[in-house]
Amino acid sequence: MKLCFVERRELAPTIWEYSFESERPLDFVSGQYVSIAVPGVQDDPRGPSRVYTLTSQPGESILKFILKLPEPHSPHKEALTQLKPGDLASCQDAMGDLILPKDPSIPLVFVAGGIGVASYVSMIQKLLDTREERPVFFYYALSAKREQLYRELFNSYPLTLNMLTIAPNHITAQQVLDTSPPDSFYYLSGSQRFVEGLRAQFEQLGVPRNSIVFDYYDGYVDL
Ligand SMILES: Cc1cc2nc3c(=O)[nH]c(=O)nc-3n(C[C@H](O)[C@H](O)[C@H](O)COP(=O)(O)OP(=O)(O)OC[C@H]3O[C@@H](n4cnc5c(N)ncnc54)[C@H](O)[C@@H]3O)c2cc1C
């Protein structure tokens, strides 16, 4: 589907939110991601597109996502920085299983590493919009406090638990299990190292595989 670049804004140092207008509302569920292709990408070994988690709401004509712009960065990200309002890009169909379960009574454990927090933004906004109060346990790990995102959004939802961990401290699966109900559904999102490390810990501690869903934001060493 065709997208038209609207604007970008810096949410925190090196972290940018991109907004595109879509020709019609994209069919997706809060928590899903899309592959975005941008024009003008030169010699990128990974090609012109990347996958981004949507932080906007289904039904809206503006699609939003966030990304980290490291130095150096890929030709794909350089092309994103060169976009002018009105420039065209495109996206594929949305995918992903970090979505809300149908049963509203299941306790939800959202674990985010850095900009992996993007995976929960649309879900929390949806719960706020529909005034649905679900038990949500939120664990957010950052390498620096200045990288904290969406503080207002998460503060406006009645989270059952809101735990921020800043490096050199680390979130452990044991900590999560000690502070959330045993019948929870566990969501993990962040860098590959963050997600795979926690997933292995959860499994070692006896959490069934089918109670864990995860997205790792590949390409980044850390988030
Ligand atoms: C399900 C899923 C959801 C995702 N959601 C998001 C999301 O919401 N937001 C998001 O940002 N990403 C997301 N990603 C990851 C995203 O698709 C990209 O893989 C990621 O942003 C890295 O982008 P990049 O390859 O353009 O590398 P960059 O971000 O440009 O670089 C990655 C690393 O490589 C280094 N590097 C890059 N180019 C060079 C070079 N020429 N020389 C030396 N070092 C270099 C950088 O300094 C950096 O350390 C998601 C991935 C998946 C699978």
Side-chain angles (χ1 to χ4, degrees):
M1 176 158 59
K2 269 198 200 123
L3 302 176
C4 183
F5 175 63
V6 177
E7 61 173 2
R8 67 180 195 135
R9 72 190 175 105
E10 196 168 21
L11 301 186
T14 75
I15 300 169
W16 291 83
E17 178 188 69
Y18 274 78
S19 301
F20 288 86
E21 187 161 19
S22 52
E23 51 184 350
R24 58 181 184 282
L26 179 73
D27 185 18
F28 74 100
V29 179
S30 290
Q32 289 192 312
Y33 55 84
V34 286
S35 176
I36 306 264
V38 277
V41 179
Q42 306 266 328
D43 300 327
D44 191 317
R46 297 185 65 195
S49 36
R50 295 290 184 279
V51 164
Y52 294 107
T53 305
L54 294 168
T55 53
S56 46
Q57 286 300 291
E60 292 175 351
S61 61
I62 299 288
L63 289 184
K64 290 186 183 175
F65 57 87
I66 63 164
L67 57 85
K68 219 168 190 180
L69 191 67
E71 289 300 341
H73 48 257
S74 63
H76 162 86
K77 291 216 172 144
E78 182 54 26
L80 275 171
T81 68
Q82 300 299 324
L83 288 177
K84 306 269 179 305
D87 283 351
L88 293 181
S90 63
C91 75
Q92 306 283 329
D93 290 344
M95 292 194 295
D97 15 82
L98 261 75
I99 58 174
L100 293 167
K102 288 213 173 82
D103 179 352
S105 69
I106 297 174
L108 308 174
V109 169
F110 288 170
V111 186
I115 64 162
V117 72
S119 293
Y120 309 117
V121 169
S122 185
M123 288 193 267
I124 290 290
Q125 188 61 57
K126 181 188 152 112
L127 293 176
L128 279 167
D129 290 350
T130 55
R131 295 172 190 273
E132 227 188 296
E133 278 193 29
R134 298 197 188 197
V136 179
F137 297 75
F138 178 49
Y139 302 84
Y140 189 8
L142 289 171
S143 48
K145 178 99 172 75
R146 64 177 182 278
E147 296 192 346
Q148 185 174 5
L149 304 173
Y150 302 107
R151 195 190 319 206
E152 245 177 66
L153 174 75
F154 285 94
N155 282 344
S156 44
Y157 189 75
L159 297 165
T160 315
L161 183 91
N162 188 356
M163 192 186 283
L164 183 65
T165 306
I166 297 174
N169 297 319
H170 295 283
I171 290 177
T172 64
Q174 187 65 63
Q175 233 178 348
V176 174
L177 294 179
D178 287 346
T179 48
S180 59
D183 54 343
S184 298
F185 198 53
Y186 301 89
Y187 296 72
L188 309 177
S189 181
S191 68
Q192 181 166 1
R193 191 164 63 180
F194 177 82
V195 168
E196 286 184 345
L198 273 172
R199 195 169 154 236
Q201 289 179 27
F202 276 112
E203 284 183 16
Q204 270 165 16
L205 292 167
V207 174
R209 273 182 172 214
N210 61 5
S211 299
I212 307 174
V213 283
F214 60 92
D215 270 351
Y216 62 74
Y217 291 9
D218 59 347
Y220 292 119
V221 179
D222 265 311
L223 282 174

